Amino acid sequence: MGEWWRHLTGRPFYWVLDGTHPAADLFVFQHVIERPEGAPPIRAARLALAESPQVAQLKAHLGESGDGFWSP
């Protein structure tokens, strides 16, 4: 896709990157802004997503199902 967004004035994506939706942050950094995988914003977005209440709830639900997915 390239860096077409660099020609836009202001901060056109940062209204969505407010930290309220970690999955949206990760998607925008990866697929819209196209940051490299090891970039600090990508790592921060992944960490925020992993620590989000929604992911914690999903992990708890999967752990309760008895499949042992999250156990060592």
Side-chain angles (χ1 to χ4, degrees), residues 3 8-9 12-15 21 29 31 37-38 40 42 45 48 51 54 59-60 62 65-66 70:
E3 295 186 1
L8 301 175
T9 58
F13 302 114
Y14 290 91
W15 64 271
H21 301 288
F29 282 128
H31 301 290
E37 282 300 312
I42 295 282
E51 294 176 347
Q54 294 85 359
K59 285 180 182 180
L62 288 173
S65 67
W70 297 106

Side-chain angles (χ1 to χ4, degrees), residues 6-71:
R6 288 198 184 270
H7 300 287
L8 301 175
T9 58
R11 298 171 61 138
F13 302 114
Y14 290 91
W15 64 271
V16 74
L17 300 173
D18 62 359
T20 57
H21 301 288
D25 294 350
L26 183 59
F27 182 84
V28 169
F29 282 128
Q30 285 181 322
H31 301 290
V32 178
I33 302 176
E34 297 179 338
R35 296 282 179 153
E37 282 300 312
I42 295 282
R43 291 194 316 255
R46 281 199 177 128
L47 181 62
L49 182 59
E51 294 176 347
S52 71
Q54 294 85 359
V55 172
Q57 184 180 20
L58 180 61
K59 285 180 182 180
H61 177 70
L62 288 173
E64 291 171 2
S65 67
D67 61 3
F69 185 77
W70 297 106
S71 61

